[in-house]
Amino acid sequence: MFINQARRLAVAPMMDWTDRHCRAFHRALTTRALLYTEMVTAPAVLHGDQDHLLGFDAVEHPVALQLGGSNPAELAEAARIGAAYGYDEINLNVGCPSDRVQSGRFGACLMREPELVADCMAAIKAAVAVPATVKCRIGVDDQDPATGLFATVDACAAVGIEVFIVHARKAWLQGLSPKENRDVPPLDYDLVRRLKRERPHLNISINGGVADLDQAEFHLAEDEDGVRLDGVMLGRAAYHEPALLGQADRRLYGADTTDVDAFAALDRYRPYVAARLDEGVRLAAMTRHMLGLMHGRPGARAFRRILTIEAIQPGAGLEVLDRAVDAVREAEARREDAA
């Protein structure tokens, strides 16, 4: 199934970041990787503006919808709606540690209730024809990670769930902020590999602390025990240095294609930007996702400055993007002349 091939590399769902404009931009860099929405709560889907929350451009495929919630009936209905919009996968968030998520009884706190997670997943699976998947932590607070992770996975596997994306850190619901929860709890990659080793029939992807494609390749390689993970999920690295995604199709999927450099990606993204501008979308809503595109290149600071300052101006259009690109090209030309 193409979706299983796609999830060899996925870009993580990230609140306030992986909106439809971000996903379309990332798709300009990689045609193969699986992209995820921001988490959308089931009640929001049922009672909110569905086109605003769920609408996306066909260019984004393959793309997964991540839901938050703990009511099986609500999640099933939200999943049906998401599938009708055309998402290629419905994913349940069992990993977010924020206070708002805990108060709604979803996210990482569900690691304490594996049977409820299984009930939710059974309802989602029954409601849609696309894959129903789980993204979880390895445990919460004082929970033993091996116990918490395996209990959640086994309960879901018992109702037919086959795909799990595991953030290889605990979530500390008390004492750490959501930001601290992304860095402070230690990573336990070995536990995720143990899960794959002991449950080889399941599709297991690893998430957390993966900084670049070198590390992604390491996680996808067969280890000394013959364990090979099925996928890697990149989060902040893909967002802050998106140019690395331009190498993904060749390096991780074996595609016989030329890497997509930053300039080529912008050329690909340009028609999308133009179409959204015609619809009244502000330029800054799209350019905010590309501030790290020129990371490490001459002119990167000027690129960021132009997009940050000029894209927010009323009526800002493609000419702003052109000026930002020209700043990089001119800086690179000066470096070549000085060499």
Side-chain angles (χ1 to χ4, degrees):
M1 182 185 293
F2 88 98
I3 192 78
N4 280 341
Q5 296 171 346
R7 65 170 53 91
R8 184 168 172 83
L9 179 70
V11 178
M14 292 176 280
M15 293 298 293
D16 299 321
W17 288 0
T18 52
D19 62 17
R20 68 188 70 184
H21 307 311
C22 177
R23 298 190 304 267
F25 171 53
H26 286 169
R27 185 58 72 214
L29 287 152
T30 169
T31 64
R32 305 291 185 94
L34 178 59
L35 306 179
Y36 278 76
T37 68
E38 304 167 88
M39 182 189 68
V40 184
T41 68
V45 172
L46 300 185
H47 306 297
D49 183 340
Q50 292 175 358
D51 286 343
H52 173 71
L53 292 169
L54 301 180
F56 68 97
D57 193 281
V59 73
E60 297 173 39
H61 288 294
V63 58
L65 169 64
Q66 186 182 71
L67 294 175
S70 59
N71 181 302
E74 289 183 348
L75 284 165
E77 182 58 24
R80 274 191 288 269
I81 294 168
Y85 267 83
Y87 285 97
D88 300 297
E89 171 187 314
I90 308 296
N91 177 265
L92 181 64
N93 183 317
V94 190
C96 182
S98 78
D99 292 340
R100 182 172 62 86
V101 166
Q102 291 179 58
S103 66
R105 199 186 176 203
F106 55 93
C109 63
L110 289 176
M111 294 293 295
R112 296 195 186 106
E113 302 183 76
E115 296 306 323
L116 176 57
V117 177
D119 289 343
C120 292
M121 293 310 302
I124 293 172
K125 181 177 172 60
V128 300
V130 297
T133 71
V134 174
K135 185 174 188 294
C136 63
R137 293 276 183 144
I138 60 173
V140 294
D141 296 336
D142 293 326
Q143 191 177 46
D144 175 60
T147 301
L149 176 61
F150 278 72
T152 298
V153 169
D154 288 344
C156 292
V159 299
I161 304 304
E162 299 177 347
V163 179
F164 299 86
I165 304 97
V166 183
H167 186 153
R169 285 188 174 95
K170 271 189 177 184
W172 285 93
L173 305 181
Q174 303 296 325
L176 292 181
S177 69
K179 182 179 186 298
E180 289 169 331
N181 262 297
R182 293 193 292 267
D183 295 299
V184 175
L187 289 158
D188 192 347
Y189 293 141
D190 289 342
L191 182 62
V192 182
R193 287 191 170 274
R194 176 186 158 193
L195 177 66
K196 179 61 180 179
R197 182 171 64 250
E198 297 184 12
R199 309 290 188 271
H201 59 291
L202 299 177
N203 186 298
I204 307 295
S205 291
I206 199 164
N207 172 228
V210 184
D212 52 39
L213 293 189
D214 289 344
Q215 292 184 23
E217 287 178 325
F218 172 81
H219 286 297
L220 290 168
E222 186 174 296
D223 67 15
E224 63 273 11
D225 297 320
V227 176
R228 188 189 298 274
L229 294 169
D230 299 286
V232 173
M233 179 175 275
L234 284 179
R236 286 166 291 167
Y239 191 84
H240 290 307
E241 298 182 34
L244 64 85
L245 294 174
Q247 303 175 33
D249 291 0
R250 173 182 59 84
R251 293 180 60 176
L252 301 186
Y253 296 89
D256 185 17
T257 57
T258 303
D259 291 349
V260 181
D261 72 8
F263 298 117
L266 291 176
D267 286 342
R268 290 183 177 186
Y269 191 45
R270 190 182 180 90
Y272 176 90
V273 175
R276 300 295 82 75
L277 288 171
D278 288 344
E279 294 170 356
V281 176
R282 294 174 66 242
L283 181 65
M286 295 171 278
T287 57
R288 74 185 185 96
H289 300 300
M290 60 175 72
L291 297 181
L293 180 63
M294 299 297 176
H295 177 80
R297 301 182 77 140
R301 182 177 297 177
F303 180 83
R304 292 193 303 272
R305 184 179 65 251
I306 291 169
L307 293 185
T308 301
I309 296 173
E310 298 187 25
I312 64 173
Q313 301 302 315
L318 287 169
E319 71 282 352
V320 173
L321 185 56
D322 291 340
R323 280 196 291 274
V325 170
D326 288 345
V328 177
R329 292 192 183 279
E330 290 167 6
E332 291 188 336
R334 287 195 298 272
R335 173 174 286 187
E336 289 178 5
D337 290 344

